Amino acid sequence: MKSNLKKASLLFTGILMGGTLFAQSTDTLHVSTDYVKPFSGDNAFRTWSIGVSGGVLTPFTIFGSNGKQDFTSPNAELGYGAYIKKQILPSFGIQADFFAGKLSADHSSPNSAGLIFKSYATKIQYAASLSANYTLANINWHYKKTAIQPYFTMGVGTMAYKPVLTYTDGSVSNFKTDNNGSISELYIPVGAGLKFNVSPGVNVDLGYQVNFVYSDNVDGDIYGSTNDKFSYAHIGLEFALGSRSKPQLATHNPVSSMRHEYMWENEQTKNQLQGQIDAEKAKNVQLRNDLNVTNANLAKLTQDSDGDGVPDAFDKCLNTPAGTKVDGTGCPLPVVKSVTKVYVTEEDNRVVNEAVRNLEFDFNKATIREHSFVSLNQLAQLLKDKGFNLKLAGYTDNVGSVAYNLRLSQDRAEAIKTYLVSKGADAGKIQAEGHGKANPIATNKTAAGRQQNRRVEFSLY
């Protein structure tokens, strides 16, 4: 019996491992009835499903059985179960599982008390767990949905069971007498399987689950330090809940839907562009027919007398000199003046500062005093030699009206500009502005402060 169970387990494992080789359905570019656009919400899918199953419960697992530590000859017994699942993502869901049934085995090893049991039979009253379900076949570029879904589950739960031991003499005893022999323990279910999509809302489920119990009580014989485990191989049906017009989220392939949408939009764009090209070609043919263009007329239309690349029929500036760059109408392009970047040196700043330091006006007038001319002459020569721009900003103290001070500061700035221009500086590069008593640099409450505020600022650039 043990050998047959091992062969069956290996065969079932082979089916699981080979499932991904044929787990996809074909795809086309055209939109099908179950197509869903990328990034659609849950309301576009059926995300809830229920399942029922029946199969074989046995202490033997693909990881081996409890072996020599407990009973050495595992039996196969009937099990049955059900679940409800919520699909969160195409590849991930949460499901609540329930199963029940019976476990049995024969021929125990002697336990710590030297007792040998003929067999045991454990009724699993219920096993309820919450598991994560991972679907492994929804990431292929070429297929819109999966026809076969390999999956893997893992969770945690609690189970209630009642072991009954049979001694070699045929007598029977419950493992425990308290609570009528019923035991509750935690267990960890780990499973894998294949789901075959036989219709839009129905899947056939082939699954195999190993249950790791957090105790050594399942067979009623505590022996050694290894916890018990058992397997549940089953076949069942899964039914998707919701509108029949919506596909199952668990079979949806989001990667393929993005590829599909990209290809469909490209095809639409290509068709639109091709239609526009064909329409323009038809217009050109019609224009040629309407104009009845002859070879002579065509030569005339393409004649370019001045050789500037613009036919005479469209040239608004005929006979432009050879080599002249022209625009689309055949007229010369404006000459772009090159901009020379100037650099102000420390010596240049010294000349400006000297002119500012020596600058004086007659009291309450815009007349420059004679001893300021030497440094202003040096500044004018600097402007001529290097082509600098100069900004003059005149200021006064707060004595007098706003209008008077504004006019006086403007007049003094203009007086400096006039003098520099008279010495050869370019008037277009000198800007004179009056600001009156605005922006004082010292207090106007003292004579020294007012003297500092009566100034003209020079900015060279």
Side-chain angles (χ1 to χ4, degrees):
M1 182 65 181
K2 180 177 180 181
S3 175
N4 291 335
L5 286 172
K6 183 176 291 186
K7 289 179 181 179
S9 297
L10 291 174
L11 176 60
F12 193 78
T13 303
I15 293 174
L16 295 183
M17 297 300 290
T20 55
L21 297 177
F22 52 92
Q24 305 285 347
S25 64
T26 58
D27 185 23
T28 64
L29 185 60
H30 302 290
V31 176
S32 62
T33 55
D34 60 354
Y35 176 72
V36 178
K37 285 189 175 183
F39 310 111
S40 297
D42 285 353
N43 58 354
F45 301 93
R46 283 189 275 183
T47 60
W48 286 96
S49 61
I50 58 174
V52 292
S53 66
V56 176
L57 282 169
T58 174
F60 180 80
T61 72
I62 59 172
F63 305 107
S65 64
N66 300 322
K68 295 180 180 179
Q69 292 188 345
D70 294 313
F71 290 80
T72 59
S73 298
N75 298 322
E77 301 286 357
L78 177 64
Y80 54 91
Y83 65 85
I84 182 169
K85 183 178 71 169
K86 168 65 174 177
Q87 199 71 25
I88 309 298
L89 299 170
S91 58
F92 176 74
I94 300 293
Q95 68 182 50
D97 292 281
F98 169 85
F99 73 86
K102 180 181 177 182
L103 290 170
S104 69
D106 300 325
H107 310 304
S108 75
S109 300
N111 62 17
S112 57
L115 296 175
I116 299 176
F117 299 100
K118 178 181 178 181
S119 64
Y120 83 91
T122 297
K123 180 180 180 182
I124 299 177
Q125 297 165 324
Y126 71 85
S129 64
L130 190 65
S131 300
N133 182 289
Y134 300 90
T135 302
L136 309 177
N138 287 339
I139 55 174
N140 193 301
W141 281 102
H142 298 288
Y143 303 99
K144 244 188 336 247
K145 56 178 282 188
T146 56
I148 302 177
Q149 302 165 250
Y151 67 86
F152 170 78
T153 62
M154 177 179 288
V156 64
T158 181
M159 60 186 297
Y161 54 93
K162 183 177 180 180
V164 176
L165 295 168
T166 301
Y167 294 92
T168 54
D169 61 2
S171 59
V172 176
S173 172
N174 289 336
F175 173 64
K176 288 187 175 181
T177 57
D178 59 312
N179 196 26
N180 198 26
S182 180
I183 304 171
S184 295
E185 296 287 0
L186 290 176
Y187 77 105
I188 297 176
V190 178
L194 296 174
K195 290 182 181 178
F196 298 83
N197 308 126
V198 296
S199 73
V202 180
N203 307 319
V204 174
D205 182 12
L206 292 180
Y208 182 79
Q209 179 176 300
V210 178
N211 302 280
F212 297 89
V213 186
Y214 197 62
S215 75
D216 191 23
N217 297 333
V218 174
D219 54 15
D221 185 17
I222 301 176
Y223 184 88
S225 59
T226 303
N227 289 337
D228 287 332
K229 54 184 175 291
F230 62 94
S231 65
Y232 177 45
H234 63 270
I235 182 171
L237 292 175
E238 180 182 38
F239 302 93
L241 304 179
S243 173
R244 292 173 58 87
S245 63
K246 296 180 181 180
Q248 299 181 57
L249 180 58
T251 64
H252 177 64
N253 186 343
V255 176
S256 179
S257 70
M258 287 189 287
R259 165 186 169 271
H260 173 92
E261 192 73 13
Y262 171 77
M263 292 178 63
W264 186 82
E265 288 184 357
N266 278 0
E267 187 71 17
Q268 294 294 102
T269 302
K270 177 182 176 183
N271 291 339
Q272 291 175 359
L273 291 176
Q274 188 61 50
Q276 294 175 4
I277 292 172
D278 293 341
E280 291 300 322
K281 286 181 178 180
K283 288 180 181 179
N284 291 339
V285 171
Q286 186 63 41
L287 286 173
R288 285 182 178 273
N289 293 335
D290 292 343
L291 294 172
N292 193 19
V293 179
T294 63
N295 291 335
N297 290 334
L298 185 59
K300 184 178 179 180
L301 288 174
T302 58
Q303 183 179 354
D304 183 12
S305 301
D306 53 10
D308 60 1
V310 180
D312 292 347
F314 308 103
D315 198 336
K316 294 183 179 181
C317 300
L318 293 171
N319 303 319
T320 52
T324 302
K325 294 183 178 180
V326 298
D327 58 18
T329 64
C331 294
L333 291 169
V335 178
V336 179
K337 294 183 179 180
S338 60
V339 179
T340 303
K341 194 169 184 179
V342 297
Y343 297 91
V344 180
T345 65
E346 291 185 5
E347 178 61 22
D348 299 334
N349 284 325
R350 186 194 66 76
V351 173
V352 174
N353 294 334
E354 188 71 17
V356 174
R357 186 166 49 253
N358 294 328
L359 179 64
E360 288 187 11
F361 294 90
D362 288 342
F363 177 72
N364 210 25
K365 295 181 180 179
T367 305
I368 304 174
R369 293 185 176 177
E370 186 176 352
H371 74 269
S372 303
F373 293 161
V374 175
S375 56
L376 288 176
N377 292 342
Q378 293 176 351
L379 177 58
Q381 189 64 41
L382 176 64
L383 297 176
K384 288 165 53 180
D385 293 343
K386 292 194 173 182
F388 286 137
N389 291 281
L390 179 66
K391 181 177 180 180
L392 302 168
Y395 297 92
T396 67
D397 58 24
N398 67 342
V399 178
S401 68
V402 173
Y404 176 79
N405 284 325
L406 187 63
R407 184 173 64 254
L408 178 60
S409 64
Q410 181 70 40
D411 290 345
R412 286 182 171 178
E414 291 287 352
I416 298 172
K417 176 179 179 179
T418 300
Y419 183 83
L420 293 174
V421 171
S422 70
K423 296 301 180 180
D426 186 350
K429 293 189 174 184
I430 302 176
Q431 180 182 357
E433 298 177 352
H435 300 281
K437 56 185 179 181
N439 302 326
I441 60 174
T443 179
N444 281 306
K445 295 181 178 180
T446 65
R450 290 191 295 274
Q451 176 64 35
Q452 294 182 54
N453 290 333
R454 297 191 293 269
R455 69 196 188 280
V456 177
E457 295 181 352
F458 291 53
S459 300
L460 194 65
Y461 60 97

